[in-house]
């Protein structure tokens, strides 16, 4: 029988209640939900901003400078804000509108046709309210689309109706995913350069790689939900190499500063991209680049309770049959090589139940 506490307990739980699932070192302790009596906020720390035009337009010197700035930001806090990334920001405005359509103009029954199921190591499909995890009643609906949900290979037999409530959504979001795919190698090559590794060490692994593209719809907060104490998304660390997250219109994203245990409210400029590293990255970098804790809390401004919050992060993984090993050249490896599927499902069984990892041989 699983020892996972009931979901309601997650409102008062701390992360260390679930430390048995961790596959990298995580010494920080924090409440899964904003706690008014104990949480402190760091009003001075500024998440670094990194300009990708250095990489794209600055020649070798620009690439070196971008790698130094990005690497320092990720090693310091695990988060950076990217500008100059080249993605048409009108795509983000349209993605906001289309995400709202998907959740607001379909019925619950229509969405439940696509209820999330495991495929590979990732639960893919629709997550109703309060079901993103079994350990906290998150006030969010989600929809996860992995590579197979997009016709990225121009397959004439591809059937968008298996994944999307309308084929037009697949066509639009495919363009957004492709725009983000173009950033994957520049980001990874810059990280590897910063660490003194071969910048192309992961090129093959990240060519047409595995990813999870998630549409998050946080509906307006009712008085009963406000009184419940539940957060919009529990405090967590991402499982992946890194996450590409366009800036959101509605506030709520908070990042834990491990140095002082205080939370940072992150509200970057529209059109920018928030980048953060995950557990895969912490593992292969031998703890150099941390998987940094973050959560989504209710807005400070009460008038924003009436407005839905929308986000569309893209988590970058490697395929399940790959091995996660400490990068060559990093001294005194702390971690043994491990298969990506074992690593991933051992962690995410925290969210889906202990049986989630039992298929791994």
């Amino acid at each position: 029988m699983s020892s996972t506490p009931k979901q309601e307990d997650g409102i008062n739980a701390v992360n260390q209640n679930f430390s048995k699932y961790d596959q990298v070192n995580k010494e920080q302790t924090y409440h899964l939900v904003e706690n008014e009596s104990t949480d402190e906020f760091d009003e001075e720390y500024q998440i670094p901003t990194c300009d990708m035009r250095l990489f794209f337009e600055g020649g070798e010197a620009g690439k070196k400078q971008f790698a130094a700035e990005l690497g320092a930001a990720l090693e310091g806090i695990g988060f950076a804000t990217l500008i100059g990334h080249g993605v048409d920001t009108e795509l983000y405005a349209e993605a906001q509108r289309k995400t709202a359509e998907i959740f607001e103009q379909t019925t619950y029954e229509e969405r439940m046709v696509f209820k999330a199921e495991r495929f590979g190591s990732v639960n893919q499909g629709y997550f109703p309210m309060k079901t993103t995890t079994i350990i906290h009643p998150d006030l969010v609906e989600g929809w996860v689309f992995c590579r197979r949900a997009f016709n990225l290979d121009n397959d004439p037999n591809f059937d968008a109706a298996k994944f999307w409530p309308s084929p037009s959504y697949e066509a639009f979001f495919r363009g957004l995913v492709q725009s983000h795919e173009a950033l994957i190698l520049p980001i990874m090559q810059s990280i590897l350069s910063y660490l003194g590794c071969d910048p192309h060490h992961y090129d093959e692994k990240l060519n047409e790689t595995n990813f999870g593209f998630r549409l998050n719809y946080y509906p307006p907060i009712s008085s009963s939900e406000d009184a419940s104490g539940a957060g919009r998304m529990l405090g967590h660390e991402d499982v992946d190499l890194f996450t590409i997250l366009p800036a959101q219109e509605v506030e709520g994203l908070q990042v834990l500063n491990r140095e002082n245990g205080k939370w940072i409210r992150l509200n970057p400029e529209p059109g920018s991209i928030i980048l953060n590293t995950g557990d895969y990255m912490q593992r292969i970098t031998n703890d150099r680049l941390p998987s940094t804790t973050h959560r989504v809390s209710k807005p400070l401004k009460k008038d924003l309770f009436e407005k839905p919050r929308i986000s569309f992060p893209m988590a970058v993984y490697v395929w399940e049959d790959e091995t996660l090993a400490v990068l060559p050249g990093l001294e005194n490896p702390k971690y043994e090589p491990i298969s990506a599927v074992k690593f991933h499902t051992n962690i995410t069984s925290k969210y889906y139940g202990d049986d989630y990892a039992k298929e791994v041989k």
Side-chain angles (χ1 to χ4, degrees):
M1 179 179 294
S2 171
S3 59
T4 305
K6 293 181 179 179
Q7 189 187 60
E8 292 77 8
D9 296 339
I11 292 174
N12 300 310
V14 297
N15 64 304
Q16 294 298 341
N17 297 147
F18 307 95
S19 61
K20 71 174 185 177
Y21 300 100
D22 291 337
Q23 302 295 299
V24 291
N25 297 325
K26 296 180 182 179
E27 298 179 357
Q28 66 270 34
T29 298
Y30 56 88
H31 286 276
L32 301 187
V33 182
E34 185 172 341
N35 188 301
E36 293 183 0
S37 63
T38 60
D39 287 349
E40 296 182 76
F41 286 84
D42 192 331
E43 307 294 351
E44 297 182 359
Y45 192 100
Q46 296 293 318
I47 299 294
T49 296
C50 303
D51 192 340
M52 292 198 76
R53 284 171 291 200
L54 288 168
F55 184 95
F56 293 124
E57 303 170 12
E60 289 305 312
K63 288 183 178 180
K64 184 176 181 180
Q65 182 180 345
F66 177 72
E69 293 178 2
L70 180 66
L74 297 179
E75 186 166 20
I77 189 67
F79 270 74
T81 300
L82 302 180
I83 60 173
H85 45 70
V87 180
D88 183 356
T89 54
E90 178 54 32
L91 276 177
Y92 295 154
E94 184 64 14
Q96 175 116 350
R97 291 190 288 268
K98 288 189 180 296
T99 301
E101 283 180 14
I102 288 175
F103 289 94
E104 294 173 359
Q105 298 184 18
T106 61
T107 66
Y108 173 76
E109 289 73 21
E110 288 170 335
R111 296 194 295 278
M112 283 298 288
V113 171
F114 303 93
K115 189 173 186 294
E117 295 180 354
R118 177 174 172 175
F119 188 91
S121 57
V122 181
N123 262 359
Q124 303 176 34
Y126 170 67
F127 292 82
M129 279 276 286
K130 302 183 180 181
T131 64
T132 293
T133 81
I134 63 172
I135 63 175
H136 173 262
D138 299 273
L139 302 179
V140 63
E141 291 181 77
W143 207 318
V144 175
F145 304 90
C146 290
R147 192 174 195 89
R148 68 194 186 103
F150 298 91
N151 189 13
L152 296 168
D153 302 315
N154 297 313
D155 181 356
N157 298 315
F158 178 81
D159 185 3
K162 291 182 178 179
F163 309 100
W164 300 85
S166 169
S168 65
Y169 292 125
E170 185 278 329
F172 170 78
F173 284 107
R174 185 196 328 144
L176 180 54
V177 162
Q178 289 173 317
S179 294
H180 285 172
E181 276 203 305
L183 304 179
I184 292 175
L185 287 184
I187 290 169
M188 192 64 183
Q189 289 169 2
S190 299
I191 289 171
L192 293 172
S193 294
Y194 173 78
L195 295 170
C197 303
D198 175 3
H200 301 289
H201 183 69
Y202 257 72
D203 282 7
E204 186 174 345
K205 291 182 174 66
L206 295 180
N207 180 35
E208 299 183 352
T209 194
N210 194 11
F211 64 78
F213 178 74
R214 180 178 169 111
L215 303 180
N216 287 320
Y217 181 83
Y218 303 84
I221 301 170
S222 68
S223 57
S224 61
E225 287 167 345
D226 185 25
S228 74
R232 281 189 144 175
M233 186 172 285
L234 84 167
H236 66 284
E237 299 79 40
D238 290 348
V239 181
D240 55 8
L241 283 169
F242 50 82
T243 302
I244 297 169
L245 172 64
Q248 309 88 40
E249 287 187 357
V250 176
E251 66 182 51
L253 181 60
Q254 299 177 357
V255 177
L256 183 66
N257 186 341
R258 298 179 315 284
E259 295 298 319
N260 58 19
K262 297 181 180 181
W263 293 90
I264 301 161
R265 295 185 176 95
L266 182 53
N267 298 301
E269 291 297 316
S272 61
I273 288 174
I274 301 164
L275 182 78
N276 69 277
T277 41
D279 291 346
Y280 282 35
M281 185 66 75
Q282 182 171 337
R283 182 92 176 198
I284 68 170
T285 63
N286 211 32
D287 292 343
R288 282 280 302 275
L289 303 190
S291 180
T292 296
T293 305
H294 54 288
R295 67 189 181 193
V296 180
S297 292
K298 290 170 282 194
L300 283 175
K301 300 174 182 176
K302 291 284 187 178
D303 59 326
L304 290 177
F305 279 28
E306 300 175 3
K307 184 175 182 178
R309 183 182 192 274
I310 290 169
S311 67
F312 28 94
M314 180 171 168
V316 178
Y317 307 119
V318 294
W319 289 110
E320 284 87 354
D321 59 357
E322 294 284 358
T323 298
L324 298 173
V326 173
L327 291 165
L330 298 188
E331 298 180 353
N332 304 316
K334 303 175 184 178
Y335 304 110
E336 295 293 325
I338 186 172
S339 71
V341 65
K342 182 177 181 180
F343 182 83
H344 194 120
T345 57
N346 281 352
I347 296 169
T348 51
S349 57
K350 166 172 58 178
Y351 304 126
Y352 305 133
D354 290 343
D355 289 344
Y356 198 75
K358 288 186 177 178
E359 293 180 28
V360 178
K361 303 299 182 183

